[in-house]
Amino acid sequence: RGFFRIDPADDTVTRVNGTVTAGSRSSTVGSFLELDLDEQGDLVGSGHPDQRTLPQYLGFLRSDDEGKTWRAVSRLGDADLHRIVFKHGRMYAWDAVLSALIISSDGGRTFTERFTPRGLILDFEVDPANPDRIVAATEDTFFRSQDAGETWSPLQRIEGARLAWPVPDRLYLAAADGTVSGSPDGGGRFERLG
């Protein structure tokens, strides 16, 4: 548990003791469910406060000083973001409170909500060439949306998939059994890679 920084020069690990502030209240933070960099390289996240001085769900957070201090940007008390993806000038996130994909075009201040298939979304990715094509994996099924999450189609049953989509013609899927597959067509067909 906690937020740590690893020095690339000597691999030393240092705990970062951050504080999140919302209005006149604050709490230390360290139990992040999601931590990432936005398109400008700034640290963003979502999680839970260490003390009960703030709501249980911290919504969308941003830090301008490498995680020492955080501010709630939006959805304080309402959102628990388990995965955040920045592509196409948009922020996509899966909110475990709503069981919905939320999409923002203004840096996370406002969102459009798109309900996802039943169950916990373990991972999702966005097509690097098409902002409306999104794939998502629940505990046992792989889904695709062609309309920015308005509708979802199940493509195959697969346990515990994790996803990566670095270039348009190569979507990667790692299954819970350790097999890795690649798709040249955004999830329509997969080739086992190893």
Side-chain angles (χ1 to χ4, degrees), residues 64-123:
D64 298 325
D65 58 6
E66 299 180 341
K68 295 178 193 83
T69 60
W70 294 87
R71 63 183 169 80
V73 176
S74 62
R75 298 197 172 222
L76 177 68
D78 295 327
D80 184 15
L81 309 181
H82 281 211
R83 173 95 166 97
I84 300 172
V85 172
F86 292 93
K87 283 187 181 168
H88 308 290
R90 295 178 179 175
M91 175 186 151
Y92 302 78
W94 189 71
D95 181 359
V97 174
L98 282 178
S99 288
L101 181 73
I102 58 175
I103 303 170
S104 175
S105 297
D106 62 7
R109 290 184 295 281
T110 63
F111 292 90
T112 300
E113 300 168 355
R114 303 281 192 239
F115 290 99
T116 53
R118 290 178 94 91
L120 178 68
I121 298 293
L122 298 180
D123 201 2

Short mmCIF file of all heavy atoms in Angstrom, two decimals, residues 64-123:
data_model
loop_
_atom_site.label_atom_id
_atom_site.label_comp_id
_atom_site.label_asym_id
_atom_site.label_seq_id
_atom_site.Cartn_x
_atom_site.Cartn_y
_atom_site.Cartn_z
N ASP A 64 0.41 18.91 -9.23
CA ASP A 64 1.36 19.69 -10.01
C ASP A 64 2.77 19.61 -9.43
O ASP A 64 3.68 20.26 -9.93
CB ASP A 64 0.92 21.17 -10.07
CG ASP A 64 -0.43 21.33 -10.76
OD1 ASP A 64 -0.70 20.57 -11.70
OD2 ASP A 64 -1.22 22.19 -10.33
N ASP A 65 2.95 18.82 -8.36
CA ASP A 65 4.27 18.75 -7.71
C ASP A 65 4.70 17.30 -7.43
O ASP A 65 5.22 16.99 -6.38
CB ASP A 65 4.27 19.57 -6.42
CG ASP A 65 3.22 19.12 -5.42
OD1 ASP A 65 2.54 18.09 -5.66
OD2 ASP A 65 3.06 19.79 -4.39
N GLU A 66 4.46 16.44 -8.42
CA GLU A 66 4.90 15.04 -8.38
C GLU A 66 4.28 14.24 -7.24
O GLU A 66 4.90 13.34 -6.69
CB GLU A 66 6.42 14.95 -8.35
CG GLU A 66 7.06 15.57 -9.58
CD GLU A 66 8.56 15.49 -9.58
OE1 GLU A 66 9.17 15.30 -8.50
OE2 GLU A 66 9.13 15.62 -10.67
N GLY A 67 3.07 14.58 -6.85
CA GLY A 67 2.34 13.79 -5.88
C GLY A 67 2.45 14.23 -4.43
O GLY A 67 1.90 13.57 -3.55
N LYS A 68 3.11 15.34 -4.16
CA LYS A 68 3.18 15.82 -2.77
C LYS A 68 1.85 16.42 -2.33
O LYS A 68 1.41 16.22 -1.21
CB LYS A 68 4.32 16.84 -2.62
CG LYS A 68 5.69 16.24 -2.84
CD LYS A 68 6.77 17.32 -2.71
CE LYS A 68 8.09 16.82 -3.23
NZ LYS A 68 8.23 16.95 -4.68
N THR A 69 1.23 17.18 -3.24
CA THR A 69 -0.10 17.73 -2.96
C THR A 69 -1.03 17.41 -4.12
O THR A 69 -0.60 17.33 -5.28
CB THR A 69 -0.06 19.26 -2.75
OG1 THR A 69 0.43 19.89 -3.93
CG2 THR A 69 0.81 19.63 -1.56
N TRP A 70 -2.30 17.19 -3.79
CA TRP A 70 -3.32 16.83 -4.77
C TRP A 70 -4.53 17.73 -4.57
O TRP A 70 -4.81 18.16 -3.46
CB TRP A 70 -3.77 15.39 -4.56
CG TRP A 70 -2.71 14.38 -4.83
CD1 TRP A 70 -1.77 13.92 -3.95
CD2 TRP A 70 -2.47 13.72 -6.07
NE1 TRP A 70 -0.96 13.01 -4.56
CE2 TRP A 70 -1.36 12.85 -5.86
CE3 TRP A 70 -3.08 13.75 -7.31
CZ2 TRP A 70 -0.87 12.03 -6.87
CZ3 TRP A 70 -2.59 12.93 -8.31
CH2 TRP A 70 -1.49 12.09 -8.09
N ARG A 71 -5.24 17.98 -5.68
CA ARG A 71 -6.51 18.70 -5.58
C ARG A 71 -7.58 17.91 -6.32
O ARG A 71 -7.30 17.27 -7.34
CB ARG A 71 -6.41 20.12 -6.11
CG ARG A 71 -6.10 20.23 -7.56
CD ARG A 71 -5.94 21.69 -8.02
NE ARG A 71 -5.38 21.75 -9.34
CZ ARG A 71 -6.06 21.56 -10.46
NH1 ARG A 71 -7.35 21.32 -10.41
NH2 ARG A 71 -5.47 21.62 -11.64
N ALA A 72 -8.77 17.92 -5.78
CA ALA A 72 -9.90 17.26 -6.43
C ALA A 72 -10.38 18.14 -7.57
O ALA A 72 -10.78 19.28 -7.35
CB ALA A 72 -11.01 17.02 -5.42
N VAL A 73 -10.33 17.62 -8.79
CA VAL A 73 -10.76 18.36 -9.97
C VAL A 73 -12.27 18.23 -10.16
O VAL A 73 -12.96 19.20 -10.44
CB VAL A 73 -10.02 17.86 -11.23
CG1 VAL A 73 -10.53 18.56 -12.49
CG2 VAL A 73 -8.52 18.04 -11.07
N SER A 74 -12.78 17.01 -10.00
CA SER A 74 -14.21 16.78 -10.21
C SER A 74 -14.64 15.48 -9.55
O SER A 74 -13.83 14.64 -9.21
CB SER A 74 -14.53 16.73 -11.71
OG SER A 74 -13.85 15.66 -12.32
N ARG A 75 -15.95 15.35 -9.38
CA ARG A 75 -16.61 14.14 -8.88
C ARG A 75 -16.17 13.71 -7.48
O ARG A 75 -16.26 12.53 -7.14
CB ARG A 75 -16.45 13.00 -9.87
CG ARG A 75 -17.11 13.34 -11.21
CD ARG A 75 -17.34 12.15 -12.04
NE ARG A 75 -18.16 12.54 -13.18
CZ ARG A 75 -19.15 11.85 -13.66
NH1 ARG A 75 -19.49 10.71 -13.13
NH2 ARG A 75 -19.83 12.28 -14.69
N LEU A 76 -15.74 14.64 -6.66
CA LEU A 76 -15.39 14.33 -5.28
C LEU A 76 -16.60 13.72 -4.58
O LEU A 76 -17.70 14.26 -4.62
CB LEU A 76 -14.96 15.60 -4.54
CG LEU A 76 -14.64 15.43 -3.06
CD1 LEU A 76 -13.38 14.60 -2.87
CD2 LEU A 76 -14.48 16.80 -2.39
N GLY A 77 -16.42 12.55 -3.98
CA GLY A 77 -17.48 11.86 -3.28
C GLY A 77 -18.37 11.02 -4.18
O GLY A 77 -19.20 10.26 -3.69
N ASP A 78 -18.20 11.15 -5.50
CA ASP A 78 -19.09 10.47 -6.43
C ASP A 78 -18.41 9.44 -7.33
O ASP A 78 -19.10 8.62 -7.93
CB ASP A 78 -19.79 11.49 -7.34
CG ASP A 78 -20.71 12.40 -6.56
OD1 ASP A 78 -21.30 11.96 -5.56
OD2 ASP A 78 -20.83 13.58 -6.95
N ALA A 79 -17.09 9.51 -7.50
CA ALA A 79 -16.44 8.63 -8.48
C ALA A 79 -15.22 7.94 -7.90
O ALA A 79 -14.47 8.52 -7.13
CB ALA A 79 -16.03 9.43 -9.71
N ASP A 80 -15.05 6.69 -8.31
CA ASP A 80 -13.90 5.85 -7.96
C ASP A 80 -13.35 5.31 -9.27
O ASP A 80 -13.84 4.33 -9.80
CB ASP A 80 -14.36 4.73 -7.03
CG ASP A 80 -13.22 3.86 -6.54
OD1 ASP A 80 -12.06 4.27 -6.67
OD2 ASP A 80 -13.51 2.77 -6.01
N LEU A 81 -12.36 6.00 -9.83
CA LEU A 81 -11.85 5.68 -11.15
C LEU A 81 -10.78 4.60 -11.04
O LEU A 81 -9.74 4.80 -10.44
CB LEU A 81 -11.28 6.93 -11.82
CG LEU A 81 -12.22 8.14 -11.82
CD1 LEU A 81 -11.56 9.32 -12.52
CD2 LEU A 81 -13.56 7.80 -12.43
N HIS A 82 -11.07 3.45 -11.65
CA HIS A 82 -10.14 2.31 -11.58
C HIS A 82 -9.18 2.27 -12.75
O HIS A 82 -8.19 1.56 -12.69
CB HIS A 82 -10.93 1.00 -11.55
CG HIS A 82 -11.48 0.68 -10.20
ND1 HIS A 82 -11.64 -0.61 -9.77
CD2 HIS A 82 -11.90 1.47 -9.19
CE1 HIS A 82 -12.13 -0.61 -8.55
NE2 HIS A 82 -12.32 0.64 -8.18
N ARG A 83 -9.45 2.97 -13.81
CA ARG A 83 -8.57 2.98 -14.98
C ARG A 83 -8.78 4.30 -15.70
O ARG A 83 -9.91 4.74 -15.90
CB ARG A 83 -8.91 1.80 -15.89
CG ARG A 83 -8.20 1.77 -17.22
CD ARG A 83 -6.95 0.90 -17.18
NE ARG A 83 -6.46 0.61 -18.52
CZ ARG A 83 -5.48 1.30 -19.10
NH1 ARG A 83 -4.90 2.30 -18.46
NH2 ARG A 83 -5.08 0.99 -20.31
N ILE A 84 -7.67 4.95 -16.09
CA ILE A 84 -7.73 6.22 -16.81
C ILE A 84 -6.88 6.08 -18.07
O ILE A 84 -5.76 5.59 -18.01
CB ILE A 84 -7.22 7.38 -15.93
CG1 ILE A 84 -8.06 7.52 -14.66
CG2 ILE A 84 -7.21 8.69 -16.72
CD1 ILE A 84 -7.50 8.51 -13.64
N VAL A 85 -7.42 6.52 -19.22
CA VAL A 85 -6.71 6.48 -20.49
C VAL A 85 -6.84 7.86 -21.14
O VAL A 85 -7.94 8.41 -21.21
CB VAL A 85 -7.30 5.40 -21.43
CG1 VAL A 85 -6.69 5.49 -22.81
CG2 VAL A 85 -7.09 4.01 -20.83
N PHE A 86 -5.73 8.40 -21.62
CA PHE A 86 -5.73 9.66 -22.36
C PHE A 86 -5.38 9.38 -23.81
O PHE A 86 -4.29 8.90 -24.12
CB PHE A 86 -4.70 10.63 -21.77
CG PHE A 86 -5.05 11.12 -20.40
CD1 PHE A 86 -4.58 10.47 -19.27
CD2 PHE A 86 -5.87 12.23 -20.23
CE1 PHE A 86 -4.91 10.91 -18.00
CE2 PHE A 86 -6.20 12.68 -18.97
CZ PHE A 86 -5.72 12.02 -17.85
N LYS A 87 -6.33 9.68 -24.71
CA LYS A 87 -6.10 9.55 -26.15
C LYS A 87 -7.03 10.51 -26.88
O LYS A 87 -8.13 10.79 -26.40
CB LYS A 87 -6.36 8.13 -26.65
CG LYS A 87 -5.25 7.15 -26.34
CD LYS A 87 -5.47 5.80 -27.00
CE LYS A 87 -4.32 4.88 -26.62
NZ LYS A 87 -4.61 3.49 -26.97
N HIS A 88 -6.59 10.99 -28.04
CA HIS A 88 -7.42 11.82 -28.91
C HIS A 88 -7.88 13.11 -28.23
O HIS A 88 -8.97 13.61 -28.52
CB HIS A 88 -8.65 11.04 -29.40
CG HIS A 88 -8.32 9.72 -30.02
ND1 HIS A 88 -7.69 9.61 -31.24
CD2 HIS A 88 -8.53 8.45 -29.58
CE1 HIS A 88 -7.51 8.33 -31.52
NE2 HIS A 88 -8.01 7.61 -30.54
N GLY A 89 -7.08 13.65 -27.32
CA GLY A 89 -7.48 14.86 -26.61
C GLY A 89 -8.61 14.64 -25.62
O GLY A 89 -9.23 15.59 -25.15
N ARG A 90 -8.89 13.39 -25.31
CA ARG A 90 -9.95 13.05 -24.37
C ARG A 90 -9.38 12.28 -23.19
O ARG A 90 -8.32 11.66 -23.29
CB ARG A 90 -10.99 12.13 -25.03
CG ARG A 90 -11.79 12.73 -26.15
CD ARG A 90 -12.73 11.68 -26.71
NE ARG A 90 -13.56 12.17 -27.79
CZ ARG A 90 -14.38 11.42 -28.50
NH1 ARG A 90 -14.50 10.13 -28.24
NH2 ARG A 90 -15.08 11.94 -29.47
N MET A 91 -10.13 12.29 -22.11
CA MET A 91 -9.83 11.44 -20.96
C MET A 91 -10.97 10.42 -20.87
O MET A 91 -12.14 10.79 -20.84
CB MET A 91 -9.78 12.26 -19.68
CG MET A 91 -9.61 11.44 -18.44
SD MET A 91 -9.75 12.48 -16.97
CE MET A 91 -10.37 11.29 -15.80
N TYR A 92 -10.60 9.14 -20.86
CA TYR A 92 -11.56 8.06 -20.70
C TYR A 92 -11.25 7.42 -19.34
O TYR A 92 -10.09 7.20 -19.01
CB TYR A 92 -11.37 6.98 -21.76
CG TYR A 92 -11.47 7.44 -23.19
CD1 TYR A 92 -10.42 8.10 -23.82
CD2 TYR A 92 -12.61 7.17 -23.94
CE1 TYR A 92 -10.50 8.50 -25.14
CE2 TYR A 92 -12.70 7.55 -25.27
CZ TYR A 92 -11.64 8.22 -25.86
OH TYR A 92 -11.73 8.60 -27.18
N ALA A 93 -12.27 7.11 -18.56
CA ALA A 93 -12.04 6.45 -17.27
C ALA A 93 -13.21 5.52 -16.96
O ALA A 93 -14.34 5.77 -17.37
CB ALA A 93 -11.91 7.50 -16.16
N TRP A 94 -12.90 4.44 -16.24
CA TRP A 94 -13.97 3.56 -15.79
C TRP A 94 -14.25 3.86 -14.33
O TRP A 94 -13.37 3.79 -13.48
CB TRP A 94 -13.63 2.08 -15.96
CG TRP A 94 -14.84 1.25 -15.70
CD1 TRP A 94 -15.95 1.14 -16.48
CD2 TRP A 94 -15.10 0.45 -14.54
NE1 TRP A 94 -16.88 0.33 -15.88
CE2 TRP A 94 -16.39 -0.11 -14.70
CE3 TRP A 94 -14.38 0.16 -13.39
CZ2 TRP A 94 -16.96 -0.95 -13.75
CZ3 TRP A 94 -14.94 -0.68 -12.45
CH2 TRP A 94 -16.22 -1.23 -12.63
N ASP A 95 -15.49 4.24 -14.05
CA ASP A 95 -15.93 4.60 -12.70
C ASP A 95 -16.63 3.41 -12.07
O ASP A 95 -17.70 2.99 -12.51
CB ASP A 95 -16.87 5.81 -12.79
CG ASP A 95 -17.35 6.28 -11.43
OD1 ASP A 95 -16.98 5.67 -10.40
OD2 ASP A 95 -18.11 7.26 -11.39
N ALA A 96 -16.03 2.87 -11.00
CA ALA A 96 -16.58 1.69 -10.33
C ALA A 96 -17.85 2.01 -9.56
O ALA A 96 -18.64 1.11 -9.29
CB ALA A 96 -15.54 1.08 -9.40
N VAL A 97 -18.07 3.26 -9.18
CA VAL A 97 -19.29 3.62 -8.46
C VAL A 97 -20.49 3.54 -9.41
O VAL A 97 -21.52 2.97 -9.08
CB VAL A 97 -19.17 5.03 -7.83
CG1 VAL A 97 -20.49 5.46 -7.21
CG2 VAL A 97 -18.07 5.05 -6.78
N LEU A 98 -20.34 4.11 -10.61
CA LEU A 98 -21.42 4.11 -11.60
C LEU A 98 -21.48 2.83 -12.43
O LEU A 98 -22.48 2.58 -13.09
CB LEU A 98 -21.23 5.26 -12.58
CG LEU A 98 -21.60 6.66 -12.15
CD1 LEU A 98 -21.28 7.64 -13.26
CD2 LEU A 98 -23.07 6.73 -11.80
N SER A 99 -20.40 2.08 -12.46
CA SER A 99 -20.22 0.99 -13.44
C SER A 99 -20.39 1.55 -14.84
O SER A 99 -21.17 1.06 -15.66
CB SER A 99 -21.21 -0.15 -13.20
OG SER A 99 -20.85 -0.85 -12.04
N ALA A 100 -19.64 2.62 -15.11
CA ALA A 100 -19.76 3.31 -16.38
C ALA A 100 -18.41 3.82 -16.85
O ALA A 100 -17.53 4.15 -16.04
CB ALA A 100 -20.73 4.49 -16.26
N LEU A 101 -18.28 3.89 -18.17
CA LEU A 101 -17.15 4.56 -18.80
C LEU A 101 -17.52 6.04 -18.83
O LEU A 101 -18.62 6.39 -19.25
CB LEU A 101 -16.94 4.03 -20.21
CG LEU A 101 -15.76 4.62 -20.98
CD1 LEU A 101 -14.45 4.08 -20.42
CD2 LEU A 101 -15.89 4.28 -22.45
N ILE A 102 -16.62 6.88 -18.36
CA ILE A 102 -16.88 8.32 -18.41
C ILE A 102 -15.82 8.95 -19.32
O ILE A 102 -14.66 8.55 -19.30
CB ILE A 102 -16.93 8.97 -17.01
CG1 ILE A 102 -15.64 8.76 -16.23
CG2 ILE A 102 -18.11 8.41 -16.22
CD1 ILE A 102 -15.59 9.47 -14.89
N ILE A 103 -16.25 9.91 -20.14
CA ILE A 103 -15.38 10.51 -21.14
C ILE A 103 -15.43 12.03 -20.98
O ILE A 103 -16.50 12.62 -20.88
CB ILE A 103 -15.83 10.12 -22.56
CG1 ILE A 103 -15.86 8.59 -22.70
CG2 ILE A 103 -14.91 10.74 -23.61
CD1 ILE A 103 -16.51 8.10 -23.97
N SER A 104 -14.23 12.64 -20.96
CA SER A 104 -14.13 14.08 -20.80
C SER A 104 -13.31 14.68 -21.94
O SER A 104 -12.28 14.13 -22.33
CB SER A 104 -13.46 14.42 -19.46
OG SER A 104 -13.27 15.82 -19.35
N SER A 105 -13.75 15.82 -22.45
CA SER A 105 -12.99 16.57 -23.46
C SER A 105 -12.44 17.86 -22.90
O SER A 105 -11.84 18.65 -23.64
CB SER A 105 -13.89 16.87 -24.67
OG SER A 105 -14.30 15.67 -25.27
N ASP A 106 -12.61 18.10 -21.59
CA ASP A 106 -12.14 19.35 -20.99
C ASP A 106 -11.22 19.11 -19.80
O ASP A 106 -11.25 19.84 -18.81
CB ASP A 106 -13.32 20.24 -20.61
CG ASP A 106 -14.24 19.61 -19.56
OD1 ASP A 106 -13.92 18.54 -19.03
OD2 ASP A 106 -15.30 20.21 -19.28
N GLY A 107 -10.38 18.09 -19.89
CA GLY A 107 -9.39 17.85 -18.84
C GLY A 107 -9.93 17.25 -17.56
O GLY A 107 -9.30 17.33 -16.52
N GLY A 108 -11.11 16.66 -17.62
CA GLY A 108 -11.65 16.00 -16.44
C GLY A 108 -12.57 16.85 -15.59
O GLY A 108 -12.90 16.48 -14.47
N ARG A 109 -12.99 18.00 -16.09
CA ARG A 109 -13.92 18.84 -15.32
C ARG A 109 -15.36 18.35 -15.49
O ARG A 109 -16.13 18.35 -14.55
CB ARG A 109 -13.76 20.30 -15.72
CG ARG A 109 -12.43 20.90 -15.23
CD ARG A 109 -12.30 22.37 -15.54
NE ARG A 109 -12.24 22.66 -16.96
CZ ARG A 109 -11.16 22.52 -17.73
NH1 ARG A 109 -10.03 22.10 -17.20
NH2 ARG A 109 -11.18 22.81 -19.02
N THR A 110 -15.74 17.97 -16.73
CA THR A 110 -17.09 17.44 -16.98
C THR A 110 -16.97 16.16 -17.78
O THR A 110 -15.97 15.95 -18.49
CB THR A 110 -17.95 18.46 -17.76
OG1 THR A 110 -17.36 18.70 -19.04
CG2 THR A 110 -18.10 19.76 -16.99
N PHE A 111 -18.00 15.31 -17.69
CA PHE A 111 -17.94 13.99 -18.32
C PHE A 111 -19.26 13.63 -18.98
O PHE A 111 -20.32 14.03 -18.53
CB PHE A 111 -17.65 12.92 -17.27
CG PHE A 111 -16.27 12.99 -16.69
CD1 PHE A 111 -16.02 13.75 -15.55
CD2 PHE A 111 -15.22 12.30 -17.26
CE1 PHE A 111 -14.75 13.82 -15.01
CE2 PHE A 111 -13.95 12.35 -16.72
CZ PHE A 111 -13.71 13.12 -15.60
N THR A 112 -19.15 12.79 -20.01
CA THR A 112 -20.28 12.08 -20.59
C THR A 112 -20.21 10.67 -20.03
O THR A 112 -19.14 10.07 -19.99
CB THR A 112 -20.17 12.04 -22.13
OG1 THR A 112 -20.16 13.38 -22.61
CG2 THR A 112 -21.33 11.28 -22.74
N GLU A 113 -21.35 10.13 -19.60
CA GLU A 113 -21.38 8.79 -18.99
C GLU A 113 -21.92 7.77 -19.97
O GLU A 113 -22.94 8.00 -20.63
CB GLU A 113 -22.26 8.82 -17.73
CG GLU A 113 -21.75 9.79 -16.68
CD GLU A 113 -22.75 10.03 -15.56
OE1 GLU A 113 -23.89 9.53 -15.64
OE2 GLU A 113 -22.38 10.74 -14.61
N ARG A 114 -21.22 6.63 -20.07
CA ARG A 114 -21.63 5.52 -20.93
C ARG A 114 -21.60 4.24 -20.10
O ARG A 114 -20.54 3.82 -19.64
CB ARG A 114 -20.68 5.35 -22.11
CG ARG A 114 -20.53 6.58 -22.96
CD ARG A 114 -21.71 6.71 -23.89
NE ARG A 114 -21.44 7.73 -24.90
CZ ARG A 114 -22.16 8.81 -25.08
NH1 ARG A 114 -23.20 9.01 -24.32
NH2 ARG A 114 -21.87 9.66 -26.01
N PHE A 115 -22.74 3.62 -19.92
CA PHE A 115 -22.79 2.42 -19.09
C PHE A 115 -22.13 1.25 -19.80
O PHE A 115 -22.26 1.09 -21.01
CB PHE A 115 -24.22 2.13 -18.65
CG PHE A 115 -24.69 3.15 -17.66
CD1 PHE A 115 -25.48 4.21 -18.07
CD2 PHE A 115 -24.28 3.08 -16.34
CE1 PHE A 115 -25.87 5.19 -17.16
CE2 PHE A 115 -24.67 4.06 -15.43
CZ PHE A 115 -25.46 5.11 -15.84
N THR A 116 -21.41 0.45 -19.05
CA THR A 116 -20.64 -0.66 -19.58
C THR A 116 -21.36 -1.98 -19.32
O THR A 116 -22.34 -2.02 -18.57
CB THR A 116 -19.24 -0.70 -18.92
OG1 THR A 116 -19.39 -0.69 -17.50
CG2 THR A 116 -18.40 0.50 -19.34
N PRO A 117 -20.89 -3.06 -19.94
CA PRO A 117 -21.50 -4.37 -19.67
C PRO A 117 -21.46 -4.70 -18.18
O PRO A 117 -20.63 -4.17 -17.42
CB PRO A 117 -20.61 -5.33 -20.46
CG PRO A 117 -20.02 -4.49 -21.53
CD PRO A 117 -19.83 -3.14 -20.92
N ARG A 118 -22.33 -5.59 -17.74
CA ARG A 118 -22.40 -5.99 -16.33
C ARG A 118 -21.07 -6.55 -15.87
O ARG A 118 -20.39 -7.23 -16.61
CB ARG A 118 -23.47 -7.04 -16.13
CG ARG A 118 -24.87 -6.53 -16.30
CD ARG A 118 -25.84 -7.68 -16.12
NE ARG A 118 -26.31 -7.77 -14.76
CZ ARG A 118 -27.38 -7.16 -14.31
NH1 ARG A 118 -28.07 -6.40 -15.10
NH2 ARG A 118 -27.77 -7.31 -13.06
N GLY A 119 -20.75 -6.28 -14.62
CA GLY A 119 -19.54 -6.81 -14.02
C GLY A 119 -18.44 -5.77 -13.92
O GLY A 119 -18.53 -4.67 -14.47
N LEU A 120 -17.41 -6.14 -13.21
CA LEU A 120 -16.25 -5.27 -13.01
C LEU A 120 -15.42 -5.21 -14.28
O LEU A 120 -15.03 -6.24 -14.82
CB LEU A 120 -15.41 -5.83 -11.86
CG LEU A 120 -14.13 -5.10 -11.52
CD1 LEU A 120 -14.43 -3.73 -10.94
CD2 LEU A 120 -13.31 -5.92 -10.54
N ILE A 121 -15.18 -4.01 -14.78
CA ILE A 121 -14.29 -3.85 -15.92
C ILE A 121 -12.86 -3.93 -15.40
O ILE A 121 -12.43 -3.09 -14.62
CB ILE A 121 -14.54 -2.50 -16.64
CG1 ILE A 121 -15.96 -2.42 -17.18
CG2 ILE A 121 -13.51 -2.29 -17.75
CD1 ILE A 121 -16.29 -3.37 -18.29
N LEU A 122 -12.15 -4.98 -15.81
CA LEU A 122 -10.76 -5.15 -15.37
C LEU A 122 -9.82 -4.23 -16.13
O LEU A 122 -8.83 -3.75 -15.58
CB LEU A 122 -10.32 -6.60 -15.56
CG LEU A 122 -11.08 -7.66 -14.79
CD1 LEU A 122 -10.52 -9.03 -15.10
CD2 LEU A 122 -11.03 -7.38 -13.29
N ASP A 123 -10.11 -4.02 -17.41
CA ASP A 123 -9.23 -3.19 -18.24
C ASP A 123 -10.03 -2.72 -19.45
O ASP A 123 -11.01 -3.35 -19.85
CB ASP A 123 -8.02 -4.01 -18.69
CG ASP A 123 -6.83 -3.15 -19.09
OD1 ASP A 123 -6.93 -1.90 -18.98
OD2 ASP A 123 -5.81 -3.71 -19.52
#
